[in-house]
Amino acid sequence: MRFTKCTQIFVISCAIAGLANGTKVPAQENASELALLRGAAEGGDTTAQFTLANRYYRGLGVRQDYSQALALYEKAADHGLAAAENRLGMMYELGLGVPQSYGRAMTSYRKAAVQGNALAQFNLAMLYESGKGGRLDYTQALEWFNKAAEQGEPNAEEEVGYFHQRGFLGARDYEKAREWYKRAAEHGCANAQNQLGYMAQLGLGMEQDYVQALDWYYKAAAQGNPNAQENIGYLYQHGLGVDTDYVQAQTWYYKAAGQGNSNAENQLEYMNQYGLGIPSDSAQALAWYRTAADQGNKTAMENLRALSDRLQAVDPELWQAANTAAQQAAETQAARRVRIANLQRQIVDLEMDARLEESLAEPGPAETSAPAIGLQKLRKEADKYRAEAARLRAELAGLDVLAASSGPAQ
């Protein structure tokens, strides 16, 4: 019931569906701004180099060009800018404009991490936790997660909580897990809020409390967390802490399924198959089973196999028609999930870059000089990223919401 960790957002780029053609801005404004940035960058200003590199990296106001971005990040990193070193690590980890290399990514992350860059500390920890590049090391992962968490990075705080919950380095410690989850939750991490709900629901290290679980799930769901949405649906379906309400269950399952949550899809399959609060519809159930099974959901695979065998035995022609429709629905949903995920990732990345630009407005000890392009310019750059994120958020609105009338079999 744990959603893909929110901590992973720091190494996701818009490479899959980037702003390859650049964002349209007034030509005069674009030319003057680029001239200012280029002049400062060529003059050796590391902040200008980083800011201009971000433009090329995102394709914001210019055509996306990883080679140009890489060269500028390298210049800024050579002069000690930790944020640029961190971005180099991301490019090597993802293979953006360079051959993918976890080793080089780790080297860049470490250079930025030892300077105190929280995002680099997190990214370095993620490599150790995932074992990418053959360097699985939970001790190192937790050490770097702790460093980033102590700086108030909510996603790192959530990771520290998860380490204690799962007992990766010893006995499980639910009390410490809740402590870190609460810190992350207070900083707005939806996954941490969902995890607090999960612990309350199961009574992990505490008395089981469905009401508290629902409260945390609602907080996470308000941020669009699909795992929390699925969990709310489950509580309503089974009457845990609330009266059984299949309509509410279906509503929340559709919200989660709209973002590709396979458990929610499997529950919708089950409700359609057995007519829980809705008329029984084997064709619709088959479509949802297929959709979830194609994502690797083992329960859905078993249910798909059982329902298919039954339908074939009862009415082969009906099964053939339903199966064809189900396959088409699964393909449509798969394409839709990709589009949603790309938009969500771009939004997260743009907002992260806005934070980075603002952080450069107040140079820390790692910066070699005050930014020549000016603090107002840096804040204006941050506003540009947020404006683009808002535009994409408007595009996303409604796309990640399914209703009963728009199920996969339609």
Side-chain angles (χ1 to χ4, degrees), residues 282-283 286 305-320 322-323:
S282 295
L286 194 70
R305 188 179 304 110
L307 180 58
S308 294
D309 290 345
R310 198 176 82 182
L311 288 177
Q312 287 185 76
V314 173
D315 190 333
E317 291 186 4
L318 172 63
W319 173 81
Q320 185 60 51
N323 188 57

Side-chain angles (χ1 to χ4, degrees), residues 44 103 165 231 250 376 408:
Q165 180 186 340
N231 290 337
Q250 187 183 36
Q376 185 177 0

Side-chain angles (χ1 to χ4, degrees), residues 171-188:
R172 297 173 186 258
D173 191 328
Y174 294 130
E175 184 176 348
K176 284 187 177 180
R178 281 199 307 276
E179 176 185 335
W180 281 103
Y181 283 149
K182 285 181 179 178
R183 286 178 59 166
E186 288 170 358
H187 290 148

Side-chain angles (χ1 to χ4, degrees), residues 114-354:
V114 296
Q115 294 183 59
N117 185 284
L119 301 186
Q121 290 169 346
F122 164 76
N123 287 335
L124 180 60
M126 283 299 296
L127 288 183
Y128 280 121
E129 181 187 13
S130 64
K132 289 180 179 178
R135 299 292 298 277
L136 180 67
D137 189 329
Y138 287 143
T139 300
Q140 283 286 322
L142 183 57
E143 178 182 337
W144 288 108
F145 279 139
N146 269 316
K147 290 180 184 296
E150 291 296 345
Q151 295 191 64
E153 187 52 59
N155 303 291
E157 292 170 337
E158 189 261 350
E159 279 289 347
V160 175
Y162 190 62
F163 264 63
H164 287 299
Q165 180 186 340
R166 295 298 302 274
F168 285 154
L169 292 174
R172 297 173 186 258
D173 191 328
Y174 294 130
E175 184 176 348
K176 284 187 177 180
R178 281 199 307 276
E179 176 185 335
W180 281 103
Y181 283 149
K182 285 181 179 178
R183 286 178 59 166
E186 288 170 358
H187 290 148
C189 181
N191 278 348
Q193 293 166 346
N194 180 68
Q195 285 302 105
L196 286 168
Y198 180 71
M199 295 184 75
Q201 179 181 339
L202 297 187
L204 299 180
M206 61 180 292
E207 185 175 349
Q208 193 172 47
D209 189 335
Y210 292 124
V211 174
Q212 185 179 149
L214 192 63
D215 182 59
W216 282 115
Y217 287 151
Y218 272 124
K219 285 182 170 65
Q223 296 192 63
N225 186 290
N227 234 41
Q229 293 167 344
E230 181 244 324
N231 290 337
I232 294 172
Y234 185 86
L235 293 182
Y236 274 110
Q237 179 183 347
H238 297 280
L240 302 175
V242 292
D243 293 334
T244 298
D245 189 329
Y246 292 133
V247 173
Q248 281 287 340
Q250 187 183 36
T251 296
W252 285 102
Y253 284 148
Y254 270 112
K255 288 179 182 291
Q259 298 188 68
N261 182 291
S262 64
N263 288 329
E265 291 166 349
N266 185 65
Q267 291 300 326
L268 285 169
E269 301 148 7
Y270 187 86
M271 295 182 77
N272 275 280
Q273 181 177 353
Y274 294 100
L276 300 181
I278 51 178
S280 178
D281 188 335
S282 295
Q284 187 81 301
L286 194 70
W288 280 120
Y289 282 143
R290 171 74 67 183
T291 301
D294 283 355
Q295 294 182 70
N297 188 294
K298 293 183 179 180
T299 302
M301 291 177 186
E302 295 173 0
N303 291 337
L304 175 64
R305 188 179 304 110
L307 180 58
S308 294
D309 290 345
R310 198 176 82 182
L311 288 177
Q312 287 185 76
V314 173
D315 190 333
E317 291 186 4
L318 172 63
W319 173 81
Q320 185 60 51
N323 188 57
T324 299
Q327 185 59 46
Q328 293 174 345
E331 292 172 358
T332 298
Q333 280 293 91
R336 186 170 168 278
R337 284 196 305 272
V338 170
R339 184 182 175 196
I340 289 171
N342 287 337
L343 286 171
Q344 291 173 330
R345 290 165 183 168
Q346 291 179 66
I347 290 167
V348 168
D349 278 350
L350 286 162
E351 291 176 339
M352 181 183 72
D353 276 353

